[in-house]
Amino acid sequence: MKAFMDKDFILETQTAKHLYHDYAAHMPLADYHCHLNPKEIYEDRRFNNIVEVWLGGKNPDGSYFGDHYKWRMMRSNGVPEEYISGSKPPYERFLKLAEALELAIGNPMYHWCHLELQQFFGVYEPLTVESAPRIWEHCNKLLQEDPDMTARGLIRKANVAFIGTTDDPIDSLQWHEKIAEDSTITTVVGPSYRPDKAVNIHKDGWKEYMQQLARSVGKESLPTMQDVLDALVERLEFFKAHGCKASDHGLDYVPFANYTVEQADAVYQKAQRGEKLTVEEIEGYQTVVLLCLGKAYHRLDIAMQLHYSCLRNNNERIFRAMGHDAGIDAIAQNTCGGNIAQLLSALDLTGQCPKTILYSLNPADNAQLGTLIGCFQDSSIPGKIQHGSAWWFNDTKSGMEEQMKSLANLGVLGNFVGMLTDSRSFLSYARHDYFRRILCNLIGNWVENGEYPNNDASLKKIVQGISYNNAARYFDL
C-alpha cells in the first residue's frame, strides 16, 4: 500500500517520478486566468485564520467571498449555511469543513485541501475531526506570525511568475498601477479584460452599465453601436498599456449571427428603449461585439479566452441571498460548435483571428473542441488556438486526464499552455502541483507502455513546456 499523499503522490511509474521531480516540480507558475483581488496583493493581506482563506464569508458591503467549491461540498454534507458562508465562529466552521472533507473520498477537493496544507503549512497528516484542533492551531499560528504567510508571501512560496486577474473594462486599474510601481513585488500581475456586462445586452443591468462604460471614456452617453465598439476598444487599449495579456468571455453559449454594425445599432437602440429583443437580435449584437473585440485582440496581441456551457445561479433562494458565484452553478448542454467555427472563420478570413483558448464546461465537448482548434491553426505561434485546461467541474483527476488525452489524440499536446487556477484563493496554487503530477503520470505511463520513446530531451521539453514554458511563450511573459 502506498503512503498517503507522499512525495510520489499520483506518480505510478519510475518515468513519471523522474519527469515530475526533475523537470516539472520546480518550474515557475503562469496563472494566466484567476480571480484574485489585486488590491489584496498590493496591500499584502494577512489572514487571521485558515477559515478566512478556505471558506471566506461576508464582506462589509454585503457581498460574499470564499471558495464556492468548498461551499458546495459542505452543503452536500447537510451543513447549515451559517457554518458555510455565515456568521458562526471560525473554529466551528472549520470543524464542519473537516467533518465534510473526511467523507469526500474521490473528490478533488480532498486532494487540493491536503496539498495546500502540505505546501503552505507543512502539515502532512490527514484533516479529520480528530486532527482538526491541532491543524487549526498550527495553521493559524503561521498565518498570524510568519512574515511570509501573507498574500505576497503565499504567491512567492508557490513560485508564481505571472498572475492574470479578471477585470471589468470600466475598472480604473489603480491597484495594478500600484503593483507595477512597487519594486518589492517580483511577480508580474496583469489585468485581464472581461467585457461580459457589455456583451450581455439581454441581462439585467445592461443599460445602466452602458452609462458606466460611457463615463469610463469621458462621455455622458454612447448614442450608437459604433460608439459602444469604440469605447470597448479604447478601454482595451488602456488595459494593454497596463500589461493585459488576455481577455476572458464568460458566455452561456458562443453566439453567431451575421449582423452588420448598422443592424446591431438597430438592436442597440431597441434595447435602450427597453423593448424586448428576439434571440436573433441578441446574438446579432453579441456577434458584432465579439468580432470587433476579436480583431482588436489580434492587433494588440491579446489572447481571447471563451468560457461557455455553464448553467448559472440555479438555486433562486441562495442566489437572492448571496448573489453570483455562490456554488449553485451546473454544467449546461449547448450545441454551439458551429457558431465557434463561424466566429473564428470570420476573423481568420480577414487575417485578424487572435490567439484563442476555448473552454467548455461540458466534458462531452472535448472531442469537438479538439477538432475545431485544428481548423484555425497557423504559423504565427505553435498552438495558436488552444483547447483550454479542464475547467471548473472538470478539473478533477479524471477530467484533466480526459482533456489531455483528447488534446493528444486530436492535436499536439506538447504545445498545450497548461494549468490555471480560476480561483479567488491565494492557496489554490497547489492545483498546479496536482495538475503537474497528473500530467507526468499520464506521460510516464505512455512511455513505459512503449507508446512514446524514452527520449529524455524530448520528454523534458514536453513536460517543462506544458508546466510553464508554453504559457510564457504564448502570453509573451
Side-chain angles (χ1 to χ4, degrees), residues 240 244-249 293-306 344 347 351-359 373 376-387 417 470-477:
K240 176 67 177 181
C244 177
K245 301 291 186 180
S247 69
D248 181 50
H249 296 263
L293 287 175
K295 293 172 183 178
Y297 299 149
H298 177 268
R299 174 172 60 86
L300 296 170
D301 192 29
I302 291 172
M304 176 171 70
Q305 297 181 94
L306 302 179
L344 296 180
L347 292 165
Q352 295 171 290
C353 184
K355 294 178 293 188
T356 302
I357 309 178
L358 302 172
Y359 310 81
I373 66 173
F376 299 100
Q377 307 289 10
D378 63 34
S379 60
S380 60
I381 186 171
K384 174 181 176 179
I385 314 297
Q386 291 272 327
H387 179 183
V417 294
N470 293 344
R473 175 182 64 193
Y474 194 82
F475 295 104
D476 190 26
L477 303 182

Side-chain angles (χ1 to χ4, degrees), residues 388-408:
S389 63
W391 172 42
W392 199 343
F393 298 120
N394 300 313
D395 55 8
T396 62
K397 182 173 180 287
S398 58
M400 292 182 199
E401 289 171 344
E402 289 306 311
Q403 183 270 341
M404 286 189 280
K405 286 179 181 178
S406 181
L407 178 54

Side-chain angles (χ1 to χ4, degrees), residues 33-82:
H33 175 62
C34 74
H35 296 275
L36 291 180
N37 186 338
K39 180 176 184 285
E40 293 183 352
I41 297 174
Y42 177 74
E43 294 182 342
D44 202 18
R45 178 178 177 177
R46 180 175 289 279
F47 300 91
N48 294 311
N49 56 67
I50 193 168
V51 160
E52 279 190 12
V53 189
W54 269 4
L55 292 180
K58 200 169 186 179
N59 289 311
D61 64 2
S63 64
Y64 287 81
F65 70 99
D67 187 342
H68 51 77
Y69 289 89
K70 295 182 178 69
W71 294 349
R72 285 174 68 98
M73 180 189 68
M74 293 173 72
R75 289 180 189 136
S76 296
N77 202 44
V79 176
E81 192 65 32
E82 58 263 32

Side-chain angles (χ1 to χ4, degrees), residues 139-415:
C139 292
N140 291 349
K141 183 177 176 62
L142 288 177
L143 285 169
Q144 294 164 10
E145 299 179 6
D146 188 329
D148 292 325
M149 293 296 281
T150 60
R152 295 189 201 178
L154 295 170
I155 290 169
R156 287 193 299 269
K157 279 177 178 286
N159 195 22
V160 184
F162 173 72
I163 295 172
T165 61
T166 302
D167 309 271
D168 192 281
I170 67 173
D171 196 293
S172 69
L173 302 184
Q174 61 169 318
W175 299 108
H176 286 89
E177 290 179 350
K178 291 177 180 294
I179 289 170
E181 293 167 356
D182 190 335
S183 61
T184 66
I185 302 176
T186 55
T187 299
V188 177
V189 182
S192 297
Y193 188 81
R194 180 76 173 248
D196 292 358
K197 292 179 181 178
V199 173
N200 291 328
I201 190 172
H202 58 302
K203 294 192 176 181
D204 292 342
W206 172 83
K207 189 174 180 180
E208 293 76 14
Y209 181 79
M210 286 295 106
Q211 296 175 329
Q212 294 177 295
L213 179 62
R215 288 195 290 270
S216 74
V217 293
K219 296 183 177 180
E220 292 185 5
S221 65
L222 301 172
T224 70
M225 185 71 208
Q226 190 59 57
D227 291 318
V228 172
L229 300 177
D230 291 344
L232 288 170
V233 171
E234 181 177 332
R235 295 305 297 169
L236 181 63
E237 291 172 340
F238 176 76
F239 270 54
K240 176 67 177 181
H242 286 75
C244 177
K245 301 291 186 180
S247 69
D248 181 50
H249 296 263
L251 303 164
D252 296 334
Y253 62 93
V254 180
F256 192 87
N258 198 14
Y259 269 41
T260 63
V261 174
E262 291 73 23
Q263 288 174 303
D265 184 67
V267 177
Y268 178 72
Q269 303 302 335
K270 189 175 177 180
Q272 287 285 5
R273 294 192 297 269
E275 298 176 22
K276 186 174 177 59
L277 304 179
T278 67
V279 171
E280 181 185 315
E281 288 172 332
I282 292 167
E283 292 179 350
Y285 166 88
Q286 291 178 324
T287 302
V288 168
V289 173
L290 290 173
L291 287 173
C292 172
L293 287 175
K295 293 172 183 178
Y297 299 149
H298 177 268
R299 174 172 60 86
L300 296 170
D301 192 29
I302 291 172
M304 176 171 70
Q305 297 181 94
L306 302 179
H307 288 85
Y308 67 97
S309 274
C310 179
L311 192 65
R312 297 182 185 273
N313 305 318
N314 296 291
N315 186 313
E316 184 66 22
R317 173 182 55 81
I318 293 178
F319 178 64
R320 288 182 181 182
M322 298 182 63
H324 298 278
D325 304 314
I328 51 173
D329 304 318
I331 293 171
Q333 292 181 313
N334 291 304
T335 55
C336 58
N339 293 347
I340 298 171
Q342 290 185 83
L343 179 70
L344 296 180
S345 184
L347 292 165
D348 179 80
L349 193 62
T350 58
Q352 295 171 290
C353 184
K355 294 178 293 188
T356 302
I357 309 178
L358 302 172
Y359 310 81
S360 173
L361 197 55
N362 188 348
D365 292 337
N366 278 347
Q368 183 181 72
L369 288 178
T371 53
L372 267 175
I373 66 173
C375 300
F376 299 100
Q377 307 289 10
D378 63 34
S379 60
S380 60
I381 186 171
K384 174 181 176 179
I385 314 297
Q386 291 272 327
H387 179 183
S389 63
W391 172 42
W392 199 343
F393 298 120
N394 300 313
D395 55 8
T396 62
K397 182 173 180 287
S398 58
M400 292 182 199
E401 289 171 344
E402 289 306 311
Q403 183 270 341
M404 286 189 280
K405 286 179 181 178
S406 181
L407 178 54
N409 285 337
L410 301 167
V412 180
L413 180 62
N415 288 326

